[in-house]
Amino acid sequence: MGALVSIAFGQTRQYYFVSTPQTWTNAQSVCRRDYTDLATIENMADVDAVLRTTSNYPAPENAEAFRSSAQDETSITLQWNKVNNNTSFVLQFNGTETNISEPDGDGPVNHTVSSLTAGTRYTFTLFSVFENVRSSGVSIAAVTAPENAEGFRASKQDETSITLQWNKVNNNISFVLQFNGTETNISAPDGDGPVNYTVSSLTAGTRYTFTLFSVFENVKSSGVQLPAVTAPQNAEGFRSLRQDETSITLQWDPVNNNVSFILQYNGTELNVAAPTGNGPLALTVPSLTAGSRYTFTLFSVFENIRSSGVSIAAVTAPENAEGFRASKQDETSITLQWNKVNNNTSFVLQFNGTETNISEPDGDGPVAHTVLYLTAGTKYTFILYHVFMNVRSSAVNITVATAPENAKGFRPSAQDETSITLQWNKVNNNTSFVLQFNGTETFISSPDGDGPLLKMLKASRHQNKMRRASLCSGIKSTTTSALFSS
């Protein structure tokens, strides 16, 4: 090592110190070319001779504090303390040597080795060099940072967790996940396929920033960031507020001013903007089919992430009954009739402050219902609702009267050859009469005042004979005329 030096001693051998670094084969070639051969040490006298020969050429000191100070995916920055202003350096790695000049100024020496492979371990040997004489050298192992994970994304989230996913780098690479000022170590994965990691105990409807580092031998990659949000809370108080034959109005409580909504039904989606102000939200869904059941699912939405959703079933009101009418009435009952809608629709009949439930009809044909225990000669208003799953139609109504009571005291009060005077007691001031005889009808208005009513019937000469006969028998005088209250 070092320059060529020739030293002669009293012994029979001469030793020459050549300071130029050589391989063993090259050193042998140089010695055989310029001298005799490589030196052979056979006894202590030879050892003493060699030591005396090299004593005037001390090897330079090794650099101290040789370390890696920074690294990324393709480079490692090495650092060491300078020896002095006259000492340069040689850096060996991967079978190559790099000469590094004597540093200027004070402070440590920095040298960056570039064009390296990510996530790889390298051994570096540093020699201090003074007048071409090298120190014994110092070695360190250092690694490049691994590549960042690719495909870093949120694969799933709910109200309290986010599942992150990324592609593995290789079997030697672990990971560190940073968020909210915390770090989580994630072991190198087994097997193929993406890596999945679920971050739990999060706050609903909140935005988080995650930074993922690949780690190789405690060295982190530069990191890749991902913003991701948790799903918002479901809306509370989701309900059907009202409905008619073609629409349903839905209502729910807002989550907050940053949360919008999506309403799903019948394979369609409606976007509902985030609310302004306080109070519940109402949405009317139009163009629906009467008497039909719908399932509505409401999602809260925060930054395009949906909540798990809440569902309700609601129905439109059925169509009103057609053909609602009174088919028959007497003094104490009215029979109502209407056309059925379908076999799933029942009815509610309202009158006089009462409600009567009427079951779904069997068979075809109109529905008939008789209302009993009514008061004679009284008007009633009947309201009929069709009912489907407890939802009523808008209703139809009719006003119908019971038949009045028959007039009492109906009798002939006087007769002569051409007339009969009939008499009866009035019913009340609202009741008029119809008198039938001989195939004719005579309308008699509601009476004024109190007392019995009188009606004179006049007859032809031929009729007079018959009447006399009838009156004499005392039979047909009361049966040939019929009196109706109306």
PDB file of all heavy atoms in Angstrom, residues 46-56:
ATOM      1  N   ASP A  46      11.779 -11.599   9.609  1.00  0.00           N
ATOM      2  CA  ASP A  46      11.076 -11.055   8.436  1.00  0.00           C
ATOM      3  C   ASP A  46       9.973 -10.095   8.876  1.00  0.00           C
ATOM      4  O   ASP A  46       9.757  -9.050   8.253  1.00  0.00           O
ATOM      5  CB  ASP A  46      10.476 -12.175   7.610  1.00  0.00           C
ATOM      6  CG  ASP A  46      11.545 -13.024   6.930  1.00  0.00           C
ATOM      7  OD1 ASP A  46      12.673 -12.530   6.782  1.00  0.00           O
ATOM      8  OD2 ASP A  46      11.201 -14.166   6.552  1.00  0.00           O
ATOM      9  N   VAL A  47       9.282 -10.457   9.985  1.00  0.00           N
ATOM     10  CA  VAL A  47       8.208  -9.586  10.482  1.00  0.00           C
ATOM     11  C   VAL A  47       8.779  -8.241  10.873  1.00  0.00           C
ATOM     12  O   VAL A  47       8.249  -7.174  10.520  1.00  0.00           O
ATOM     13  CB  VAL A  47       7.480 -10.241  11.669  1.00  0.00           C
ATOM     14  CG1 VAL A  47       6.495  -9.247  12.311  1.00  0.00           C
ATOM     15  CG2 VAL A  47       6.759 -11.489  11.213  1.00  0.00           C
ATOM     16  N   ASP A  48       9.900  -8.242  11.617  1.00  0.00           N
ATOM     17  CA  ASP A  48      10.512  -6.985  12.053  1.00  0.00           C
ATOM     18  C   ASP A  48      10.942  -6.159  10.864  1.00  0.00           C
ATOM     19  O   ASP A  48      10.790  -4.923  10.837  1.00  0.00           O
ATOM     20  CB  ASP A  48      11.706  -7.265  12.965  1.00  0.00           C
ATOM     21  CG  ASP A  48      11.273  -7.865  14.312  1.00  0.00           C
ATOM     22  OD1 ASP A  48      10.071  -7.652  14.678  1.00  0.00           O
ATOM     23  OD2 ASP A  48      12.093  -8.511  14.965  1.00  0.00           O
ATOM     24  N   ALA A  49      11.449  -6.830   9.866  1.00  0.00           N
ATOM     25  CA  ALA A  49      11.912  -6.107   8.678  1.00  0.00           C
ATOM     26  C   ALA A  49      10.749  -5.430   7.961  1.00  0.00           C
ATOM     27  O   ALA A  49      10.852  -4.285   7.517  1.00  0.00           O
ATOM     28  CB  ALA A  49      12.635  -7.068   7.747  1.00  0.00           C
ATOM     29  N   VAL A  50       9.658  -6.134   7.849  1.00  0.00           N
ATOM     30  CA  VAL A  50       8.482  -5.551   7.161  1.00  0.00           C
ATOM     31  C   VAL A  50       7.941  -4.365   7.936  1.00  0.00           C
ATOM     32  O   VAL A  50       7.613  -3.317   7.378  1.00  0.00           O
ATOM     33  CB  VAL A  50       7.396  -6.613   6.956  1.00  0.00           C
ATOM     34  CG1 VAL A  50       6.095  -5.970   6.488  1.00  0.00           C
ATOM     35  CG2 VAL A  50       7.860  -7.649   5.949  1.00  0.00           C
ATOM     36  N   LEU A  51       7.856  -4.494   9.273  1.00  0.00           N
ATOM     37  CA  LEU A  51       7.336  -3.398  10.083  1.00  0.00           C
ATOM     38  C   LEU A  51       8.234  -2.176   9.973  1.00  0.00           C
ATOM     39  O   LEU A  51       7.752  -1.037   9.892  1.00  0.00           O
ATOM     40  CB  LEU A  51       7.201  -3.832  11.552  1.00  0.00           C
ATOM     41  CG  LEU A  51       6.113  -4.880  11.838  1.00  0.00           C
ATOM     42  CD1 LEU A  51       6.146  -5.302  13.297  1.00  0.00           C
ATOM     43  CD2 LEU A  51       4.733  -4.315  11.487  1.00  0.00           C
ATOM     44  N   ARG A  52       9.552  -2.370   9.967  1.00  0.00           N
ATOM     45  CA  ARG A  52      10.447  -1.235   9.833  1.00  0.00           C
ATOM     46  C   ARG A  52      10.314  -0.611   8.461  1.00  0.00           C
ATOM     47  O   ARG A  52      10.412   0.598   8.294  1.00  0.00           O
ATOM     48  CB  ARG A  52      11.912  -1.685  10.075  1.00  0.00           C
ATOM     49  CG  ARG A  52      12.233  -1.972  11.528  1.00  0.00           C
ATOM     50  CD  ARG A  52      13.747  -2.098  11.725  1.00  0.00           C
ATOM     51  NE  ARG A  52      14.285  -3.230  10.980  1.00  0.00           N
ATOM     52  CZ  ARG A  52      14.372  -4.464  11.468  1.00  0.00           C
ATOM     53  NH1 ARG A  52      13.931  -4.709  12.698  1.00  0.00           N
ATOM     54  NH2 ARG A  52      14.872  -5.436  10.736  1.00  0.00           N
ATOM     55  N   THR A  53      10.046  -1.411   7.463  1.00  0.00           N
ATOM     56  CA  THR A  53       9.919  -0.904   6.098  1.00  0.00           C
ATOM     57  C   THR A  53       8.716   0.017   5.952  1.00  0.00           C
ATOM     58  O   THR A  53       8.751   1.044   5.271  1.00  0.00           O
ATOM     59  CB  THR A  53       9.795  -2.073   5.107  1.00  0.00           C
ATOM     60  OG1 THR A  53      10.953  -2.895   5.220  1.00  0.00           O
ATOM     61  CG2 THR A  53       9.629  -1.576   3.692  1.00  0.00           C
ATOM     62  N   THR A  54       7.554  -0.312   6.644  1.00  0.00           N
ATOM     63  CA  THR A  54       6.306   0.444   6.468  1.00  0.00           C
ATOM     64  C   THR A  54       6.047   1.455   7.554  1.00  0.00           C
ATOM     65  O   THR A  54       5.035   2.164   7.530  1.00  0.00           O
ATOM     66  CB  THR A  54       5.121  -0.535   6.425  1.00  0.00           C
ATOM     67  OG1 THR A  54       5.060  -1.241   7.661  1.00  0.00           O
ATOM     68  CG2 THR A  54       5.249  -1.511   5.280  1.00  0.00           C
ATOM     69  N   SER A  55       6.998   1.574   8.541  1.00  0.00           N
ATOM     70  CA  SER A  55       6.724   2.433   9.699  1.00  0.00           C
ATOM     71  C   SER A  55       6.642   3.899   9.347  1.00  0.00           C
ATOM     72  O   SER A  55       6.004   4.682  10.050  1.00  0.00           O
ATOM     73  CB  SER A  55       7.800   2.208  10.766  1.00  0.00           C
ATOM     74  OG  SER A  55       9.085   2.559  10.246  1.00  0.00           O
ATOM     75  N   ASN A  56       7.275   4.336   8.284  1.00  0.00           N
ATOM     76  CA  ASN A  56       7.239   5.753   7.890  1.00  0.00           C
ATOM     77  C   ASN A  56       6.010   6.109   7.046  1.00  0.00           C
ATOM     78  O   ASN A  56       5.877   7.244   6.592  1.00  0.00           O
ATOM     79  CB  ASN A  56       8.507   6.104   7.109  1.00  0.00           C
ATOM     80  CG  ASN A  56       9.748   6.049   7.994  1.00  0.00           C
ATOM     81  OD1 ASN A  56       9.679   6.367   9.178  1.00  0.00           O
ATOM     82  ND2 ASN A  56      10.866   5.611   7.421  1.00  0.00           N
TER      83      ASN A  56
END
